[in-house]
Amino acid sequence: MPKIDTAKISRLIAAGGMVIKHPEPPPVRSWHDDPDDRDRELRHVEPDDTRYWRDYRIFFNRKAPMLAGIDFHDLPSVHYDALRDRWSADSTEHTESVIAAVRKRLDSAVMIPGDAP
């Protein structure tokens, strides 16, 4: 199973990102299940597996102290999707330049302790 990049997530949270995450609902057996199959193990997924999460995003807006001075134009926020390892924002003419500026600023940020590659 693919793993989420917990070191990157820690760095983004330390930089002032706001986290929105929702786990997938746990699997349940129904009375419709095959009786011969009831003793089989249910799939167990750890929180660092992407299958554990339905949604895991880190949001940044102009209020984040680390992003002071970046012109967000008319974008309310930029977010990093931890499950798909990609950045996105609302679609405007400034989207690509704002995402590039936010990524550049966050990439140049000092790494947090214990986050060495």
Side-chain angles (χ1 to χ4, degrees):
M1 283 182 256
K3 303 282 185 191
I4 57 175
D5 189 349
T6 53
K8 186 174 190 174
I9 290 170
S10 298
R11 269 197 328 272
L12 295 175
I13 292 169
M18 297 171 285
V19 179
I20 294 184
K21 59 184 180 179
H22 303 286
E24 283 286 343
V28 239
R29 293 193 195 276
S30 83
W31 62 277
H32 294 289
D33 287 340
D34 181 3
D36 296 332
D37 209 21
R38 288 183 191 255
D39 61 343
R40 101 182 124 81
E41 290 289 321
L42 287 176
R43 177 178 55 107
H44 179 71
V45 183
E46 296 295 325
D48 62 343
D49 291 321
T50 56
R51 287 189 200 171
Y52 184 86
W53 302 103
R54 178 181 43 165
D55 185 16
Y56 201 134
R57 293 175 288 161
I58 296 115
F59 282 81
F60 291 92
N61 59 25
R62 65 189 57 173
K63 295 178 185 174
M66 181 162 283
L67 302 178
I70 293 178
D71 186 2
F72 274 70
H73 297 280
D74 54 347
L75 291 174
S77 64
V78 171
H79 69 268
Y80 171 72
D81 186 339
L83 298 179
R84 292 168 190 80
D85 191 25
R86 68 176 183 206
W87 290 85
S88 61
D90 292 343
S91 184
T92 69
E93 62 187 80
H94 303 291
T95 301
E96 294 301 318
S97 63
V98 173
I99 289 174
V102 167
R103 288 184 70 178
K104 183 177 179 184
R105 179 77 56 89
L106 293 172
D107 287 345
S108 68
V110 178
M111 292 174 59
I112 59 173
D115 193 25

